[in-house]
Each structure stands twice: as C-alpha cells, then as structure tokens.
Amino acid sequence: MKWLAILCAVGVALCWGLYGPTLTNARAPKGEWGPFKPYVFIGVAYLVIAILGGMLMMKFAFNDNFDYTGDYAPAMKWGFLAGCLGALGALSLTFALTKAGGKPSYVMPIVFGGAVTVNAIVAYMNLHHGDAVNPLMWVGMFLVVVGICLTAGYTPHGHAPAKPAAAAPALEAEAAATPASAEHPTG
C-alpha cells in the first residue's frame, strides 16, 4: 500500500465528512438568508483552491507546463467535466441539507456510501468490459448499503425542540401544586 495515498484519502474523508456539519452551521439562525447564500462562497472556495492549488502542484510537484492545447486538451475537457460533477454534487448536497430538510447524520452516509458504490460500478465497466466480476464486489456493495442504513439509523439525531405551548400549562400546573412555603423558605 502507498501510505501517502492512504493519508491523503483520509484527509479527503475528513474534509468531506465535515462538509455537511459545516454547511449546516451556514444556515441562517432566523431565516435571514436562503440556503444558497453560503453556496456562492463554497464556489469561491472551490475556485480559489482549485486554481491556486492546481497551479502550485503543477509547477512544484510535477514541473508541468500550463498548455491546454493539442495533446493537452483532454486535461481541460475531462477536468472541466469532473469539476462540473463535483459542483453539481455539492449543489445537490447543499439542497439536501437545506431546502429538502435533510440532516448530516443520514445524508452524509448515503452520499459517501453511494459514491463508493458508483465508483466501483464505473471502474468495473471501464476496466473489465463484460468480464466476470468477483462476487465479493457485490458482497461489498451490499455491505455498504447495510453500513449506510446502520450509520444513518444509529447516528444521534438530537432531540426535537420542546413545544412552548405544551410546556407552559405543565409549568403552571406544577407551580399551583407547589406550596408557597416550598417556594420561599424562611429560615
């Protein structure tokens, strides 16, 4: 195994795993703004990090050139498609966690478990073109679905907010039942 690749993958999982909870914090506390106001700055962050990070890696990690013509055109075409897929995924995730009412505790396991499964299917279709698939791949996909269900079902979801109208009569009844001497002890 390549340990640096594993470490980088763990970094991706950490960043993307924190995406949902962080996006939840970007919601307006009292509805002052819509859920896609923060999404604009998600795009700005993608743009800045992708361009600056990509250029720095091209120059210093790979000593690459900045030409996107001729033989280099597929880098632009496929890179743009990958960026569109990433941005559409982020847009869908933002919608799922905001307007659609989803919670990170179950949306994120579906996203990442589903991504692993889609990746396995596409990799198989691209590499094997009809060769027999190892049955353990299907077992793994089944286990991913089980893992999604277990993770989403047993992640703490928090408590529902107390209803103020229901709480007020209960408090009044409790206050009426409490003797005055217990409220104001003398002594």
Side-chain angles (χ1 to χ4, degrees), residues 60-172:
F60 297 111
F62 294 96
N63 196 28
D64 206 342
N65 64 48
F66 293 92
D67 184 6
Y68 285 94
T69 61
D71 289 342
Y72 303 111
M76 179 176 55
K77 176 180 77 173
W78 288 104
F80 184 77
L81 179 59
C84 288
L85 291 170
L88 286 171
L91 182 68
S92 298
L93 181 55
T94 301
F95 189 81
L97 292 172
T98 57
K99 192 69 174 171
K103 302 284 186 242
S105 56
Y106 62 86
V107 170
M108 300 305 281
I110 293 169
V111 167
F112 294 116
V116 168
T117 303
V118 169
N119 179 66
I121 291 169
V122 171
Y124 171 75
M125 290 169 49
N126 283 338
L127 298 175
H128 295 288
H129 304 292
D131 294 343
V133 63
N134 186 327
L136 291 178
M137 183 176 101
W138 302 115
V139 171
M141 286 184 195
F142 173 76
L143 291 174
V144 166
V145 171
V146 170
I148 290 169
C149 293
L150 290 173
T151 302
Y154 293 100
T155 297
H157 297 283
H159 301 289
K163 296 180 182 177
L171 291 175
E172 290 172 10

Side-chain angles (χ1 to χ4, degrees), residues 14-97:
L14 179 66
C15 290
W16 287 1
L18 290 170
Y19 178 82
T22 302
L23 184 60
T24 301
N25 289 334
R27 291 183 183 171
K30 297 176 186 158
E32 305 89 46
W33 62 79
F36 287 92
K37 189 178 252 344
Y39 185 76
V40 171
F41 279 86
I42 292 168
V44 169
Y46 266 78
L47 186 66
V48 168
I49 291 172
I51 290 174
L52 291 178
M55 290 171 67
L56 288 170
M57 290 299 235
M58 283 173 63
K59 180 67 178 160
F60 297 111
F62 294 96
N63 196 28
D64 206 342
N65 64 48
F66 293 92
D67 184 6
Y68 285 94
T69 61
D71 289 342
Y72 303 111
M76 179 176 55
K77 176 180 77 173
W78 288 104
F80 184 77
L81 179 59
C84 288
L85 291 170
L88 286 171
L91 182 68
S92 298
L93 181 55
T94 301
F95 189 81
L97 292 172

